[in-house]
Amino acid sequence: GNSVTQMEGPVTLSEEAFLTINCTYTATGYPSLFWYVQYPGEGLQLLLKATKADDKGSNKGFEATYRKETTSFHLEKGSVQVSDSAVYFCALSGSGGYNKLIFGAGTRLAVHP
Amino acid sequence: DGGITQSPKYLFRKEGQNVTLSCEQNLNHDAMYWYRQDPGQGLRLIYYSQIVNDFQKGDIAEGYSVSREKKESFPLTVTSAQKNPTAFYLCASSRPPGQGAYEQYFGPGTRLTVT
């Protein structure tokens, strides 16, 4: 079945460092891919998405490219801020005619001044 | 502003009591979902509903029940049969298949503590 694997956290960085959070997936067909962010004590917010191979999603300085050949959707940001500290979830759309999402386990990012 | 509201934000119950978590959306979405999140873990799907008066079990439905009498509302009842009910509960909604890239929109969550 479909699945998502994320790199384990926590990821600890200094402010202005480069960020990569790895995400790989297993899926049949052509799923859409998403990154969600969760700040402490809150719900999930959609950060970016990509709906087909080679699409690049971007938002708030974050980027991720849908790589079908490597089944990956790695999240990157060139210069992180303390305010980026959160848990990041990679997800893909499932199958079955409804909008079921399959989530990775999440990666906690801590950014220090 | 359109969005999803969940109430209350914090809920405390004694073991053996049923408790109902509220979820309301004004996004005009057909589909709604309930997830459970435990500390340091990802989201697990409890129930989902694609349309009014219809819902299906997710991956961990045992000990939970739902209803979908109105498009805007999808309450979740945590019954006394749920063995480990203490968790963070998230409600979400989405457009029907074919009307978007299947992204889901989430509420702020309800943290349930059962002692």
Side-chain angles (χ1 to χ4, degrees):
Chain A
N2 294 355
S3 66
V4 175
T5 303
Q6 288 182 236
M7 64 186 290
E8 288 191 22
V11 173
T12 303
L13 295 173
S14 297
E15 204 164 25
E16 300 184 0
F18 185 86
L19 168 70
T20 299
I21 300 178
N22 291 338
C23 171
T24 57
Y25 67 90
T26 302
T28 55
Y30 302 93
S32 294
L33 299 172
F34 308 88
W35 276 101
Y36 283 84
V37 58
Q38 183 180 33
Y39 298 101
E42 298 183 8
L44 275 67
Q45 300 174 25
L46 179 65
L47 182 59
L48 53 84
K49 67 184 181 187
T51 59
K52 60 183 186 296
D54 299 326
D55 266 3
K56 177 186 283 188
S58 61
N59 186 27
K60 300 180 182 180
F62 291 90
E63 293 182 340
T65 301
Y66 189 160
R67 302 284 189 200
K68 193 166 178 63
E69 64 276 13
T70 55
T71 62
S72 64
F73 192 55
H74 305 321
L75 182 68
E76 297 182 336
K77 187 176 185 183
S79 176
V80 294
Q81 305 300 312
V82 172
S83 57
D84 293 326
S85 299
V87 180
Y88 293 81
F89 291 92
C90 184
L92 64 82
S93 60
S95 58
Y98 57 89
N99 296 5
K100 183 176 179 180
L101 291 183
I102 303 198
F103 287 88
T107 302
R108 181 174 300 277
L109 170 66
V111 181
H112 299 289
Chain B
D1 286 338
I4 301 175
T5 58
Q6 291 186 243
S7 60
K9 189 168 180 65
Y10 299 95
L11 192 53
F12 299 88
R13 280 293 182 271
K14 295 291 187 184
E15 195 173 322
Q17 293 179 336
N18 291 355
V19 58
T20 298
L21 281 60
S22 167
C23 177
E24 304 278 333
Q25 55 99 358
N26 61 3
L27 299 168
N28 200 32
H29 287 170
D30 286 298
M32 297 186 74
Y33 312 79
W34 274 105
Y35 293 90
R36 171 184 171 133
Q37 185 178 28
D38 292 287
Q41 299 189 27
L43 279 68
R44 293 185 288 170
L45 182 64
I46 304 172
Y47 269 97
Y48 63 96
S49 168
Q50 299 180 70
I51 198 167
V52 174
N53 292 324
D54 184 60
F55 48 83
Q56 286 81 39
K57 294 181 179 180
D59 302 319
I60 55 164
E62 185 176 350
Y64 300 97
S65 66
V66 294
S67 62
R68 187 83 187 279
E69 297 176 1
K70 297 187 300 182
K71 186 175 184 177
E72 302 79 19
S73 179
F74 191 42
L76 173 74
T77 296
V78 184
T79 75
S80 56
Q82 168 52 232
K83 294 177 181 172
N84 296 296
T86 294
F88 189 50
Y89 291 88
L90 289 160
C91 179
S93 70
S94 68
R95 292 186 287 269
Q99 294 189 21
Y102 304 113
E103 63 259 39
Q104 294 180 11
Y105 298 84
F106 284 81
T110 292
R111 186 167 300 281
L112 173 64
T113 302
V114 177
T115 58

